[in-house]
Amino acid sequence: MKNPKMQRRTLQAATLLVTAAMAIGMSGCRSSGAANADAAAKPEVTIIVGGLEKVIYMPAKLAEGLGLFEQEGVKVNLLGEQSGASAENSLLTGASQAVVGFYDHTVDLQAKGQCITSVAQLANIPGEAEMVSTANADSITSAKDFEGKNLGITSLGSSTDFLTQALAGQAGVKKYTPAKVGAGQTFIASMNNGGIDAGMTTDPTIAQLVQSGQGKVLIDMRTEEGTRQALGGLYPAASVYMSCDYVQKNPKTVQKVVNAFVGALDFITTHTAAEIAAKMPSDYANAGAGLYEKSINDTKTMFNKDGKMDADGAKNVVKILDQYSTNVLGKGSTIDLSKTYTTEFVDKVPAK
């Protein structure tokens, strides 16, 4: 039986998304709406999150729970999508003004002729883990064993897809089958019914699989050390990105949004997992309060305190995508990193 609360949230998200899209359509021009945001007494921004309940994207809902958007004088509508690829599409169609998703999408999109920029870098590591089902734990002990296997990703074109390609490619794997299994319960179900042999996911799904004994961590990119081992360096991931056009036309609104996110990052670094969990929606802990707090505790060190990009990490993202991403392959030298992220706004966040 489907979770009624989840159904309500999905319906609400869909309604808001359609409303936003209709409003843009009626305006007849994306840029005209973008140009007006700064002029509004209380600007309104729709932000699509590639998984509201994922701990790696926690700063979005935490900023809302702490009242930081309200304090900044900006009305923010947070809508959830199951993957970064879906969230990315909402930005490109003008149905949203910002996305909380992986930084690598800004590189991937530039390779396809789009200018998207990260205005706040929430983390310099993925916060993801490659999980293997307990039944396959003896036969899959490293990425070299991915050959011929079904590997779970959130969706094609998502960051879990990019990262899986990188892990497989670095291990010399020639062929595997990427399987779109989403996150949370759909991911767990696919692992339990044999739909996937292994797959990439985040907390709290990781914590649920480990605690239940249904899965084991194979490659852990929730720490800086694990990320460097897996990817040869940092891999800036969770970020707040917007179209370059919107950023240029609405600097005041962007600053308000960035101030709120950096405030949430500061709260994460200065408070316990239990204190953070208390500010999040209670139904995010549907597998138990203790397990949810553990998932936050296991992941919270991944977040930046100041929202700034690690420059070498950004270069590593391009290096990896240039080797393993279909869209970026062979185009790495043409990517203008200065257009994929900016520290202009995080540098102006008022000191506490």
Side-chain angles (χ1 to χ4, degrees), residues 91-157:
L91 185 69
L92 297 179
T93 60
S96 68
Q97 289 73 53
V99 168
V100 174
F102 270 35
Y103 162 72
D104 53 20
H105 287 280
T106 70
V107 177
D108 181 70
L109 286 168
Q110 188 180 128
K112 293 188 286 188
Q114 300 283 346
C115 187
I116 304 296
T117 188
S118 168
V119 295
Q121 194 60 40
L122 308 180
N124 284 320
I125 59 177
E128 304 266 1
E130 184 72 20
M131 302 296 293
V132 59
S133 66
T134 304
N136 292 314
D138 292 336
S139 60
I140 302 177
T141 59
S142 72
K144 293 181 180 180
D145 299 318
F146 287 171
E147 191 72 45
K149 298 298 192 295
N150 294 328
L151 304 180
I153 58 174
T154 53
S155 69
L156 294 174

Side-chain angles (χ1 to χ4, degrees), residues 259-289:
N259 289 350
F261 272 97
V262 173
L265 292 174
D266 180 71
F267 188 90
I268 291 171
T269 58
T270 56
H271 291 75
T272 66
E275 290 171 329
I276 296 168
K279 297 296 182 180
M280 300 294 286
S282 59
D283 58 343
Y284 283 16
N286 56 12

Side-chain angles (χ1 to χ4, degrees), residues 43-61:
E44 185 169 350
V45 178
T46 296
I47 302 177
I48 306 292
V49 184
L52 274 171
E53 297 177 6
K54 294 178 182 178
V55 176
I56 60 170
Y57 297 143
M58 182 170 60
K61 205 65 177 176

Side-chain angles (χ1 to χ4, degrees), residues 193-234:
N193 64 27
I196 57 174
D197 303 301
M200 191 169 296
T201 191
T202 62
D203 276 310
T205 306
I206 295 170
Q208 291 178 36
L209 286 168
V210 172
Q211 186 187 66
S212 66
Q214 297 168 308
K216 295 183 178 181
V217 176
L218 181 66
I219 300 171
D220 197 341
M221 293 178 285
R222 292 175 296 175
T223 66
E224 182 175 320
E225 179 183 4
T227 300
R228 290 185 183 279
Q229 288 178 354
L231 302 172
L234 295 179

Side-chain angles (χ1 to χ4, degrees), residues 63-86:
E64 181 182 74
L66 292 170
L68 298 179
F69 295 126
E70 190 67 27
Q71 289 176 28
E72 290 295 329
V74 59
K75 177 175 172 54
V76 169
N77 302 312
L78 293 177
L79 307 180
E81 283 286 354
Q82 276 295 301
S83 74
S86 300

Side-chain angles (χ1 to χ4, degrees), residues 238-305:
S239 68
V240 182
Y241 63 80
M242 302 175 169
S243 73
C244 298
D245 181 63
Y246 183 86
V247 172
Q248 291 168 2
K249 292 179 178 177
N250 300 278
K252 293 180 181 178
T253 300
V254 174
Q255 189 67 61
K256 292 175 185 294
V257 171
V258 170
N259 289 350
F261 272 97
V262 173
L265 292 174
D266 180 71
F267 188 90
I268 291 171
T269 58
T270 56
H271 291 75
T272 66
E275 290 171 329
I276 296 168
K279 297 296 182 180
M280 300 294 286
S282 59
D283 58 343
Y284 283 16
N286 56 12
L291 187 64
Y292 185 59
E293 288 176 19
K294 182 183 187 309
S295 68
I296 292 176
N297 196 59
D298 289 344
T299 306
K300 69 190 292 287
T301 56
M302 70 173 278
F303 294 107
N304 298 336
K305 183 176 182 179

